[in-house]
Amino acid sequence: TKFADEWLAPHPGTDGALAQAMGHVILTEFHVRDRAPRFLDYMARFTDAPYLVTLERRGDAYVPGRFLTADRLAGTPAADQAGTVNAASKTVILSREGDVVVPNGSLGHRYGDPGRWNLDLEGVEPALSVADLANGPAGEPVAVDLPRFDLAPQEGAEHQGGAGSVRRGVPTHRVGEHLVTTVYDLLLAQYGVNRPGLGLPGTWPAGYDDPATPGTPAWQEEITGVPAVAAARIGRELAQNALDSGGRSMIIMGAGTNHWFHSDTIYRTFLALVTMTGCQGVNGGGWAHYVGQEKVRPITGFQQYANAADWVRPPRLMISTAFWYLATDQWRYDGLPADALASPLAAGKLSGRTTADTLVESVRRGWTPSYPTFDRNPLDLVDEAEAAGKDPVRHVVDQLSSGELDYACTDPDDPANFPRVLTVWRANLLGSSGKGNEYFLRHLLGTDAAVRAPESGPDRRPRDIAWHDEAPRGKLDLLVTADFRMTSTTLFSDVVLPAATWYEKHDLSSTDMHPFVHSFNPAINPPWQTRTDFDIFHTIARRVSEMSVTHLGVRKDVVAVPLAHDTPDAMATPHGEVLPQDELVPGVTMSKLVVVERDYPALAARLAALGPLTQEAGMVTKGVAFDPTPEVERLAVTNGVVAEGPAAGRPRLDRDTHVCEMILALSGTTNGRLAVQGFEDLERRTGQRLADLARDEQGKRVTFPDVQSRPTPVITSPEWSGSEHGGRRYSAFVINVERLKPWHTLTGRQHFFLDHDWMTELGEQLPVYRPPLDMHRLFGDARVGDTSPTGAHGSEGHAEVAVRYLTPHSKWSIHSEYQDNLFMLSLSRGGPTIWMSPQDAEKIGVADNDWIESYNRNGVVVARAIVSHRMPEGTVFMYHAKDRTVDVPRSETSGLRGGIHNSLTRVLLKPTHLIGGYAQLSYGFNYIGPTGNQRDEVTVIRRRSQEVTY
C-alpha cells in the first residue's frame, strides 16, 4: 500500500464482493456493451465459457446442472460421439452455426485419443452464448435461481445464516432431450449483467448504483466499505489496460487471502477478473500468488529423492491439515454441520453430517489420503492374506466389505490409531504453523493447555467417527525435533537434534519468484554437536537398519493410494455425481491398493544410493514421462557406485553433494535432454509443436559446481506451464495459451464452472461472494464489536471487546529473520504484541504498550498492546511466528503461561476441499486439500493487571 497509486481497503474477508463488482463492470462494458474482440476470443478458446451446461427444473424455475458430455448425445446429430472412448469426460459446445461439437482437449481426450489433447478448435467458432447462434436458440429464455450468501439472517432463523437466492434469466437451447445454456450465459447471470434485447426474466440491477441485488459496485460498497465509484473505476481500468497492452494486467495476492475459510471463493472471483480480460498466460499479466518460496523448479529429481521413488513406489503422502485435525482431537470440539455451509438451493446431500463426516467419506471413496489408513497394521494385513492364500488387495477389500476392517479415521481416539513417534524437521509445528496450538498441547502432547471450548454435545457429534467419552491426552510417545534455534516446538520435544544452518551445509534452493537455481555452501563446518540434516537422517537410518535385522526384517506392506490428478483416476467420478458406494472397487470407488516390499535392514544402504526404479520404471511428473537412463549412467561415473551391500553397483548418494547432483541431473529444468524428451512425450499426446521450447538447450546440463559458482538460469520444461525460452521470464500458462496445450481440467480450459455434487451443495458452481464465517451463529462466539461481559476468569470489573483476529506475516520477523534476536526484539517491544485500533483500545481503557489478554474458545494470549491509527476498528493483528520463548507472562484467564498467535486458532475443514476423483478436483500432493484457515476467528480482549509474573 505504501507505494500504490490507489489503496482500496475492504473490510476483512470481503475481497470476493469487491472482485465480483469489478467483474460486473468488466462484463457489462467490455463483454456485453462493447464486445471487445480480444476478450471474447480468449474466453471462447481458453476458458469453459462456451461449454454447455444442462438446466434442471426446481420449482417454478431452473438451477444449473452439469456439463453436457458426449455420452449423453444419443438421439442428437452428434450421436456418434456418445460411444467414443471416455465419452463421459468429453464436454460439449455449440458452434455459431448451431452444430453440436465435442472439441479437442478435454479430459477424455487426454487418456483416449492420442494427438487430440489440444486446444485446436479446428476451424470451429464456438458460440459463447446460445444467443449468439446464427439461427437463434432453439429454446425460450428461462429463469434460473442462483445462490447468494450476503443477506442478513431473518429473525428467528439466525442459525440458517444469511443465505438466499437471486432469480435471473438465461437463453436456452435444446440438444436432444437436454435443455442447456452456456457457462458464459450463467456467468453473466451470476454477475448480474442483463442483456435487454434478449427479454431475460428475473431480477436485474437498475445500474451500478443499485445496492439491492448482488454484483453491482453499490452492492459491494455496503459489504466492503470500498466506494462504489472506486470499485467501478478500478475494474474498468484493469480491463482497459488489458485491452491496450494485450493482457498485461496482473493481480498479485499474498498469503492472507488463503487463510479465510472461504479462501477458494475469494480466489475464484479474482481469477475470474484476469481470465475474463485475457491476461492468464501472458507475460506481465495474470495472477501472481506471492506466498513464500514454495516452487521446487527441479521437481522431478526432487520427487525421486523425497519420496524414495527410486526404491519403492508409491509413497505415503498426507494432507497435513486433516491429519492434525484428527490427531489433535479438534474434531471433538468442532461439530459443524456440513449443511450449515450449504446453499439454500442444495439437494440435501450433506444433511445429517458434520464436516468431520465429510472427511471420512472422502477417505472411504479414495478422494483424499489418510494415514494410518486402516485400523490394523498394513504389514499384518498382508501377512494375514498370504497365510490364507489370498491376494492382499482382495483380502483388504473383503475385510472392508464385511466390516472386519475399517479406516483409522473413523476412530482417531483408539490407541491403535494414535500417531506414536513424530519427527519435526524444518518446521515449527507447535509455533508458527499448527492451527489450534492448545489442542496440540492437550491431546497430542498431554501437557498443560488453555483450551476453553466445550466438546460437542450429542446433537453435534459426527455420525461416522466413534466417540469416546474420555478424550485421550498425550497420544505421542516420542517427539523429536531437528532445528538450529530454540522454538516453541523444541521446548516441548523429548529429543532436540541440533541442526546446521544454511551457512553450514550444501543444499539447493529454487523458487517461483526467480528464474534461477541456487546453492547453499558451508562457510564453516557445523559447530559443536551440530550436524547437517543430511547427516542426522543418515545416522538415524543406520541405527534403524541395525535394529531392523532382529525386529522388522523384510515385510510386505499394502499402501492405499488416493485417486490421483494427472492420471486416469481423474475420470473415476463421471459427471461429478456422487453415487452410493455399493461396491468397493480399488481405483474406482475407493483408493488404489498397492502391495510393496519393505526391506528395513537395507534402509540406510538404500538411502545412500540411487535405486533401480528410477531407470526401470522411469519418472513421471504431472503426467509427463521421462526416461533417465543416460543420466543414471552418468551419475554412476560422477558420484561413483556402491561397492557392496544391498545397493551394490548403484550410483552413490552418501554425500549431500551427490544428492544435489542427482536432483539436477533428473529434472528437465536443469537437464535439457530431459526437457526435450518430456516435450516430445507431450507432442505425441497433443499433436502440437512443443519441443522447440527447449531444443536450443538440449545439451545443457546444470551441475552442482555450476550453481555453486553462480545462480544458474533454469530451462523451459514441461514440468511447469511457463516458458523461459529465448530469455523471457516465467509466467504461468504461457505454454497453454501460445502452444495450445490444455490445462489439466475437465474441459482442458480454465474453469468458471464446477459441477461436482459437493460444489453444487455449497452453492459454489460459479464464482460467488461468501462472507467470513459467522462464528457467533456457528459456535456461539462473541459478535465483533460486542462489549458484553463474558464471565471469563479474571475479567470481573474489566471492560471487554470482541474483535476479528488476524495473524498476518510478521512485520518484524519472517522465515530467515526470526524475532528472538536483539535487533528484532528491539523493533517489536521485546515480546508478543497485538496491534489494535484506538477506538477498540478506548472501549476497554487500554493505552499503548499496556499488557492485555486475548481469549476465545481455543485459548489465551498475553501480549502488549500496540495502539495504532493504522488499524481499523473491529480488527486486531498478532503477527505470526512469535514463539513463546521470550517475555511471555502467565495469564489471569488460564493461570498458565500465555500462548502464541496460534493459541487462538483452530482447524476447520471445508467439504469442497476434500473432493477427489474428478478432473482437476483430484488429489495431487501439495495441490489440493483443506487449508489451514484461521482468519474467521473472533477473540475478546481486555486490559489486565500490569503486574505480570512468569
Side-chain angles (χ1 to χ4, degrees):
T1 58
K2 183 176 181 180
F3 299 104
D5 296 306
E6 302 272 352
W7 179 23
L8 306 183
H11 298 314
T14 64
D15 310 63
L18 172 62
Q20 195 167 346
M22 292 169 67
H24 174 86
V25 172
I26 293 169
L27 291 169
T28 298
E29 298 183 12
F30 293 86
H31 283 245
V32 173
R33 188 187 71 189
D34 294 341
R35 295 184 66 81
R38 185 181 184 281
F39 291 173
L40 299 185
D41 178 68
Y42 185 96
M43 292 282 279
R45 296 171 63 204
F46 302 123
T47 79
D48 67 343
Y51 282 81
L52 299 179
V53 175
T54 61
L55 296 174
E56 300 174 0
R57 172 69 73 172
R58 184 75 58 83
D60 60 347
Y62 289 84
V63 293
R66 307 181 191 280
F67 279 108
L68 181 64
T69 49
D71 63 320
R72 296 181 171 178
L73 293 179
T76 75
D80 60 311
Q81 293 289 331
T84 60
V85 64
N86 302 330
S89 297
K90 293 178 178 176
T91 41
V92 180
I93 65 171
L94 292 172
S95 72
R96 290 290 296 269
E97 291 73 32
D99 296 325
V100 178
V101 179
V102 178
N104 293 344
S106 69
L107 180 65
H109 293 110
R110 184 179 186 183
Y111 297 108
D113 298 300
R116 290 199 59 198
W117 188 53
N118 60 58
L119 302 182
D120 186 355
L121 290 169
E122 299 178 334
V124 172
E125 185 180 358
L128 265 181
S129 165
V130 298
D132 295 336
L133 295 174
N135 296 319
E140 296 296 320
V142 301
V144 173
D145 287 335
L146 300 167
R148 62 185 296 186
F149 301 94
D150 58 303
L151 299 172
Q154 296 180 1
E155 186 173 351
E158 289 81 3
H159 64 288
Q160 296 177 1
S165 63
V166 60
R167 180 164 294 183
R168 290 179 177 150
V170 294
T172 67
H173 190 74
R174 283 280 175 185
V175 176
E177 62 183 19
H178 304 288
L179 184 68
V180 299
T181 191
T182 69
V183 171
Y184 190 68
D185 287 317
L186 290 170
L187 189 71
L188 292 174
Q190 177 79 349
Y191 278 76
V193 179
N194 195 7
R195 291 167 283 177
L198 299 183
L200 301 176
T203 303
W204 298 94
Y208 289 172
D209 58 351
D210 182 355
T213 187
T216 68
W219 164 81
Q220 71 79 38
E221 180 175 354
E222 295 190 350
I223 295 169
T224 71
V226 174
V229 172
R233 179 171 53 80
I234 298 300
R236 185 179 302 117
E237 290 175 357
L238 182 145
Q240 188 62 54
N241 180 73
L243 207 56
D244 295 341
S245 65
R248 295 189 176 185
S249 289
M250 178 179 287
I251 295 176
I252 302 175
M253 299 177 71
T257 306
N258 193 42
H259 294 165
W260 294 94
F261 184 82
H262 291 302
S263 60
D264 50 346
T265 62
I266 301 175
Y267 274 41
R268 288 175 67 190
T269 58
F270 274 89
L271 281 167
L273 296 178
V274 289
T275 305
M276 65 179 65
T277 53
C279 297
Q280 293 280 53
V282 177
N283 276 99
W287 176 75
H289 188 189
Y290 195 99
V291 176
Q293 300 181 3
E294 298 169 342
K295 182 172 289 184
V296 182
R297 286 297 187 95
I299 185 67
T300 303
F302 173 82
Q303 287 178 330
Q304 289 296 299
Y305 191 65
N307 297 336
D310 55 330
W311 285 102
V312 179
R313 301 180 188 181
R316 284 188 170 99
L317 300 172
M318 181 55 180
I319 50 170
S320 61
T321 305
F323 178 85
W324 298 121
Y325 177 73
L326 296 177
T328 63
D329 275 339
Q330 294 187 51
W331 66 273
R332 293 180 67 95
Y333 303 83
D334 185 356
L336 179 60
D339 58 1
L341 305 169
S343 158
L345 302 172
K349 295 185 178 182
L350 297 177
S351 297
R353 287 186 281 177
T354 67
T355 52
D357 290 316
T358 65
L359 171 60
V360 174
E361 178 168 359
S362 180
V363 171
R364 284 175 167 163
R365 290 184 179 273
W367 292 352
T368 195
S370 186
Y371 303 114
T373 304
F374 306 115
D375 58 9
R376 295 213 302 277
N377 190 322
L379 303 178
D380 295 338
L381 288 173
V382 178
D383 288 347
E384 291 171 14
E386 293 187 338
K390 291 182 66 176
D391 172 56
V393 172
R394 183 73 259 163
H395 177 64
V396 170
V397 171
D398 290 345
Q399 291 271 296
L400 287 170
S401 300
S402 69
E404 296 171 85
L405 179 69
D406 208 344
Y407 290 91
C409 63
T410 64
D411 195 355
D413 288 349
D414 182 342
N417 299 326
F418 287 2
R420 294 293 187 176
V421 178
L422 175 62
T423 301
V424 179
W425 167 62
R426 285 189 173 180
N428 188 6
L429 178 66
L430 302 178
S432 60
S433 59
K435 307 301 185 290
N437 179 264
E438 302 295 333
Y439 302 95
F440 276 80
L441 300 185
R442 173 179 285 184
H443 296 290
L444 193 68
L445 301 188
T447 188
D448 290 338
V451 174
R452 303 177 66 245
E455 294 185 347
S456 299
D459 60 329
R460 284 177 63 103
R461 292 174 184 171
R463 74 178 192 191
D464 294 329
I465 300 181
W467 185 271
H468 296 247
D469 290 335
E470 193 69 33
R473 298 199 178 192
K475 295 182 178 181
L476 281 183
D477 292 334
L478 178 65
L479 174 59
V480 179
T481 299
D483 210 321
F484 55 80
R485 55 186 286 269
M486 185 60 70
T487 68
S488 298
T489 305
T490 57
L491 284 177
F492 288 105
S493 297
D494 300 297
V495 177
V496 178
L497 302 174
T501 70
W502 306 279
Y503 311 108
E504 298 158 5
K505 64 180 180 180
H506 293 107
D507 210 334
L508 289 170
S509 172
S510 65
T511 81
D512 51 347
M513 260 63 78
H514 315 110
F516 303 102
V517 178
H518 308 259
S519 68
F520 290 135
N521 300 288
I524 62 171
N525 291 326
W528 304 99
Q529 293 181 319
T530 297
R531 297 192 189 187
T532 66
D533 36 26
F534 184 88
D535 189 16
I536 288 171
F537 285 111
H538 275 264
T539 301
I540 294 172
R542 286 192 293 271
R543 189 70 180 115
V544 170
S545 291
E546 293 169 9
M547 298 174 68
S548 294
V549 173
T550 55
H551 286 73
L552 286 167
V554 179
R555 302 284 297 276
K556 287 185 179 178
D557 185 7
V558 59
V559 181
V561 186
L563 304 172
H565 188 41
D566 289 323
T567 75
D569 299 350
M571 299 186 291
T573 311
H575 313 116
E577 187 175 8
V578 183
L579 299 172
Q581 201 175 14
D582 295 328
E583 182 183 4
L584 298 181
V585 181
V588 181
T589 63
M590 62 172 289
S591 299
K592 300 186 293 288
L593 296 172
V594 181
V595 178
V596 300
E597 183 178 89
R598 306 286 188 197
D599 189 341
Y600 294 101
L603 175 64
R606 289 182 168 186
L607 179 60
L610 181 63
L613 288 185
T614 297
Q615 192 170 356
E616 294 173 0
M619 308 182 301
V620 178
T621 296
K622 300 179 183 176
V624 179
F626 299 93
D627 176 7
T629 297
E631 284 71 28
V632 174
E633 293 171 351
R634 184 178 177 186
L635 284 168
V637 175
T638 304
N639 292 356
V641 297
V642 178
E644 58 185 8
R650 303 306 308 166
R652 291 170 54 193
L653 298 179
D654 56 342
R655 295 180 183 174
D656 46 14
T657 54
H658 289 163
V659 176
C660 292
E661 287 288 3
M662 182 271 283
I663 291 172
L664 296 171
L666 299 184
S667 301
T669 53
T670 45
N671 182 333
R673 193 196 75 83
L674 287 179
V676 171
Q677 183 191 81
F679 276 127
E680 289 174 343
D681 178 56
L682 271 181
E683 285 182 338
R684 288 187 287 273
R685 294 158 62 192
T686 64
Q688 301 297 301
R689 183 167 161 264
L690 294 164
D692 62 294
L693 293 171
R695 189 85 67 189
D696 55 355
E697 295 189 280
Q698 186 170 6
K700 182 176 178 179
R701 305 289 188 275
V702 177
T703 66
F704 192 58
D706 290 336
V707 298
Q708 285 182 298
S709 63
R710 63 194 178 283
T712 304
V714 297
I715 301 165
T716 300
S717 169
E719 295 153 294
W720 304 105
S721 65
S723 172
E724 280 130 326
H725 178 67
R728 68 196 295 185
R729 284 296 166 245
Y730 185 92
S731 187
F733 310 127
V734 164
I735 294 175
N736 306 83
V737 168
E738 296 180 1
R739 299 303 180 97
L740 303 185
K741 183 246 175 193
W743 280 264
H744 298 198
T745 63
L746 178 65
T747 64
R749 280 78 176 169
Q750 300 167 87
H751 272 239
F752 292 102
F753 187 78
L754 299 171
D755 65 346
H756 189 278
D757 276 351
W758 286 13
M759 299 299 300
T760 304
E761 285 296 289
L762 263 67
E764 296 176 12
Q765 291 175 308
L766 291 158
V768 66
Y769 165 65
R770 298 204 67 160
L773 292 182
D774 184 343
M775 306 303 277
H776 176 76
R777 173 177 70 89
L778 298 174
F779 298 102
D781 292 1
R783 295 185 185 276
V784 173
D786 189 2
T787 55
S788 304
T790 64
H793 184 72
S795 66
E796 299 82 0
H798 293 278
E800 299 170 286
V801 63
V803 289
R804 190 168 299 287
Y805 176 73
L806 307 184
T807 59
H809 274 187
S810 178
K811 188 174 184 179
W812 306 122
S813 63
I814 180 63
H815 297 320
S816 59
E817 292 185 290
Y818 296 98
Q819 59 99 20
D820 53 358
N821 65 71
L822 180 60
F823 300 107
M824 295 293 105
L825 292 172
S826 298
L827 288 169
S828 63
R829 307 196 183 190
T833 55
I834 290 179
W835 292 62
M836 62 190 309
S837 70
Q839 299 95 315
D840 290 319
E842 184 178 0
K843 293 173 187 175
I844 56 175
V846 164
D848 186 66
N849 215 44
D850 277 356
W851 284 106
I852 57 175
E853 296 213 2
S854 181
Y855 40 92
N856 60 15
R857 68 195 334 261
N858 306 314
V860 183
V861 163
V862 182
R864 288 190 181 276
I866 298 178
V867 180
S868 172
H869 67 280
R870 288 173 286 187
M871 292 300 300
E873 183 178 6
T875 299
V876 300
F877 283 177
M878 187 173 187
Y879 286 113
H880 99 314
K882 294 297 182 76
D883 279 306
R884 59 171 87 215
T885 53
V886 179
D887 201 18
V888 182
R890 286 187 175 274
S891 161
E892 294 174 335
T893 306
S894 67
L896 305 172
R897 189 175 298 280
I900 60 172
H901 69 285
N902 270 327
S903 291
L904 302 179
T905 67
R906 58 176 156 162
V907 173
L908 293 173
L909 299 182
K910 186 171 182 179
T912 49
H913 295 179
L914 297 165
I915 294 171
Y918 185 52
Q920 66 267 36
L921 300 178
S922 302
Y923 175 73
F925 177 64
N926 209 33
Y927 273 79
I928 193 169
T931 58
N933 54 81
Q934 78 281 348
R935 293 206 164 192
D936 303 81
E937 290 291 354
V938 172
T939 188
V940 173
I941 293 182
R942 74 164 188 269
R943 188 178 188 272
R944 56 152 293 151
S945 168
Q946 301 305 291
E947 294 295 325
V948 298
T949 60
Y950 296 90

